[in-house]
């Protein structure tokens, strides 16, 4: 996909720009829905309508009830709220099980929960980047309060056995969280089939605005508010909601639901790039043997620094990443590759491309040409 300055943007797992329909909804809603959604007069009621329409559209993409949608400021916040809610609910349970490849918004909470007295344990992944369900089943017991396994990995794109993980959690009476931030809008929602207790989703990964996300909480599960004081979001998150952000998030969800068919074409473009360009250069493609998100390719080229390639491509008007944007700048092989047992030589670092709904074969051809030049 192209940005306004003609940059070919292939880093859609990091974030996405608002599409025109979404930014139109946002601009209109920001003007029309300025009222406080809790106010009892016309302007408040109007804002409330915008807020609730957005909520219904989020619920429709997820496949849940509107009452189960709690708007948050970010997916990081949603993930932390789910973890805290599950941990606080059952004092007799003191174990938390996380997959070793969770996003830092979950993984990096470990010291905090250890300080609170929990034993936090990591569930390994296999060489294909899939969380080990045998290991999870073996270690899960009635002392576990929470199991977290993401729906799809942000770097490899590998889709995880979320239903199996949720069943294991149910089997021992633990609550189950799936971070569906990268999966939502790219593959079917795991909510109806896996029936997790908590699910997180972010607007800015699906062409919506930044500053809004949602924690989906199954009816009746414990929810500990991180912010108290106003009673908004059914007492689950205090502070005045932005009806404009919610309306734009809703529009992004509506669009994601309509655009599901587009992803087969993206997978074909991604596969062509891997089968052609990458294969001829002996690239290592991570997670390729697993089911992956249709838009994602995570690879390394022997002896090539991903950081240098990213800089050289930027110079040529192409935006790609080296992996999780949250970790750019940190050194060493990405955690997911270490856990997959991938040994990278010191001069080799990976590159991630993630295509967007408007990526064309011409974009991919230009990207391949530019990558060829960059490698020279
Ligand atoms: N979870 C996953 C899988 C992500 O990829 C990200 C962002 O990259 C997040 C959570 C956190 O999202 P945010 O930074 O918008 O809070």
């Amino acid at each position: 996909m192209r940005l306004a300055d003609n940059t070919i943007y292939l880093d859609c797992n990091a974030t996405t720009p608002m599409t025109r329909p979404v930014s139109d909804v946002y601009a209109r809603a920001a003007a029309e829905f300025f009222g406080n959604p809790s106010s009892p007069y016309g302007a408040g009621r109007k804002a409330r309508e915008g807020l609730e329409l957005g909520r219904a559209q989020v619920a429709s993409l997820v496949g849940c009830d509107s009452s189960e949608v709690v708007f948050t400021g970010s997916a990081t916040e949603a993930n932390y709220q789910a973890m805290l809610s599950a941990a606080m609910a059952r004092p007799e349970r003191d174990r938390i099980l996380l997959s070793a490849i969770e996003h830092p918004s979950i993984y990096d909470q470990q010291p905090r929960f250890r300080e609170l007295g929990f034993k936090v344990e990591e569930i390994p992944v296999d060489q294909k980047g899939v969380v080990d369900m045998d290991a999870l089943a073996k270690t899960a017991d009635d002392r576990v309060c929470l199991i977290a396994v993401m729906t799809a990995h942000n770097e490899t794109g590998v889709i995880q056995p979320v239903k199996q993980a949720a069943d294991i959690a149910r089997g021992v009476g633990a609550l189950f969280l799936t971070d569906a931030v990268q999966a939502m809008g790219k593959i079917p929602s795991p909510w109806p089939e896996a029936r997790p207790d908590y699910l997180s989703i972010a607007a800015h990964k699906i062409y919506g605005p930044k500053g809004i996300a949602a924690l989906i909480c199954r009816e009746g599960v414990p929810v500990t508010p991180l912010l108290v004081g106003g009673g908004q979001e059914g007492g689950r998150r205090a502070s005045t909601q932005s009806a404009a952000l919610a309306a734009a998030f809703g529009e992004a969800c509506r669009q994601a639901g309509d655009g599901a068919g587009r992803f087969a074409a993206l997978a074909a473009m991604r596969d062509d790039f891997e089968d052609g360009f990458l294969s001829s250069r002996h690239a290592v493609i991570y997670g390729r043997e697993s089911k992956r998100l249709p838009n994602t390719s995570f690879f390394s080229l022997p002896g090539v620094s991903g950081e240098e390639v990213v800089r050289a491509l930027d110079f040529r008007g192409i935006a790609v990443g080296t992996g999780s944007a949250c970790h750019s700048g940190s050194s060493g092989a990405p955690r997911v590759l270490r856990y997959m047992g991938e040994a990278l030589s010191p001069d080799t670092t990976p590159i991630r491309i993630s295509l967007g709904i408007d990526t064309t074969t011409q974009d991919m051809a230009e990207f391949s040409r530019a990558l060829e030049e960059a490698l020279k």
Side-chain angles (χ1 to χ4, degrees):
M1 65 187 295
R2 302 266 173 162
L3 304 183
D5 66 359
N6 214 30
T7 293
I8 296 177
Y9 186 74
L10 292 171
D11 202 15
C12 291
N13 287 9
T15 192
T16 52
M18 284 194 269
T19 59
R20 191 58 192 268
V22 172
S23 60
D24 283 352
V25 165
Y26 179 73
R28 225 178 320 114
E32 273 180 33
F33 304 151
F34 79 95
N36 187 323
S38 302
S39 295
Y41 43 78
R45 276 195 301 277
K46 230 170 154 190
R48 168 69 55 187
E49 269 170 36
L51 180 71
E52 295 310 327
L53 173 62
R55 196 187 306 280
Q57 288 171 315
V58 173
S60 169
L61 182 66
V62 173
C64 66
D65 195 84
S66 290
S67 63
E68 295 172 314
V69 177
V70 179
F71 285 123
T72 61
S74 68
T76 299
E77 179 190 331
N79 283 335
Y80 178 57
Q81 184 168 11
M83 292 179 78
L84 194 72
S85 300
M88 291 296 119
R90 304 179 171 174
E92 73 285 3
R93 291 179 177 242
D94 64 351
R95 295 179 71 207
I96 295 176
L97 306 181
L98 308 177
S99 93
I101 57 167
E102 290 304 295
H103 185 267
S105 56
I106 290 177
Y107 189 84
D108 290 353
Q109 305 291 347
Q110 293 190 48
R112 214 175 259 211
F113 283 92
R114 288 205 180 96
E115 270 172 34
L116 291 172
F118 291 90
K119 225 175 136 217
V120 190
E121 294 150 76
E122 295 178 23
I123 307 303
V125 291
D126 64 18
Q127 274 187 317
K128 295 179 180 172
V130 180
V131 179
D132 184 339
M133 287 298 114
D134 289 337
L136 178 61
K138 263 188 210 132
T139 189
D141 65 15
D142 62 6
R143 279 179 49 209
V144 176
C145 57
L146 172 71
I147 294 176
V149 176
M150 70 202 318
T151 310
H153 192 263
N154 40 302
E155 288 166 316
T156 61
V158 171
I159 297 167
Q160 302 299 329
V162 172
K163 175 165 171 16
Q164 231 179 310
D167 287 345
I168 293 169
R170 256 189 300 280
V172 295
L175 291 159
F176 181 72
L177 159 66
T178 192
D179 170 342
V181 165
Q182 291 293 346
M184 212 44 90
K186 297 174 189 156
I187 57 172
S189 167
W191 186 264
E193 206 203 337
R195 301 194 299 113
D197 297 294
Y198 307 100
L199 176 149
S200 53
I201 168 176
H204 76 94
K205 305 283 189 185
I206 55 167
Y207 308 90
K210 288 160 189 68
I212 187 159
L215 174 61
I216 314 299
C217 307
R218 184 168 296 286
E219 199 196 338
V221 299
V223 183
T224 301
L226 302 184
L227 307 172
V228 293
Q232 290 93 345
E233 297 294 305
R236 296 169 295 185
R237 187 197 193 251
S239 67
T240 304
Q241 301 102 326
S242 165
L245 286 177
F249 187 7
E251 173 62 16
C253 287
R254 192 198 57 72
Q255 188 180 261
D258 287 353
R262 174 85 190 111
F263 277 94
L266 294 189
M269 280 187 254
R270 186 267 317 265
D271 292 347
D272 280 351
F273 170 68
E274 291 184 343
D275 295 341
F277 188 97
L278 289 185
S279 293
S280 68
R281 279 148 191 92
H282 311 290
V284 182
I285 302 168
Y286 303 111
R288 194 187 198 181
E289 287 83 43
S290 303
K291 274 197 203 149
R292 282 180 297 164
L293 295 176
N295 74 323
T296 306
S297 180
F298 193 41
F299 58 91
S300 62
L301 295 150
V304 172
S305 152
E307 285 80 8
E308 280 180 31
V309 168
V310 167
R311 276 197 293 276
L313 288 173
D314 180 32
F315 186 68
R316 290 169 172 79
I318 296 176
V320 304
T322 52
S324 172
C326 315
H327 270 186
S328 57
S330 60
S331 60
R335 169 163 43 93
V336 66
L337 297 189
R338 282 187 273 118
Y339 277 96
M340 286 167 69
E342 291 286 348
L344 289 175
S345 62
D347 56 352
T348 305
T349 47
I351 300 164
R352 177 187 67 187
I353 61 164
S354 41
L355 287 63
I357 46 173
D358 293 333
T359 301
T360 62
T361 48
Q362 195 193 333
D363 293 342
M364 291 304 286
E366 281 185 37
F367 162 60
S368 297
R369 267 196 302 277
L371 182 55
E372 179 75 74
E373 281 171 28
L375 291 174
K376 276 184 202 150

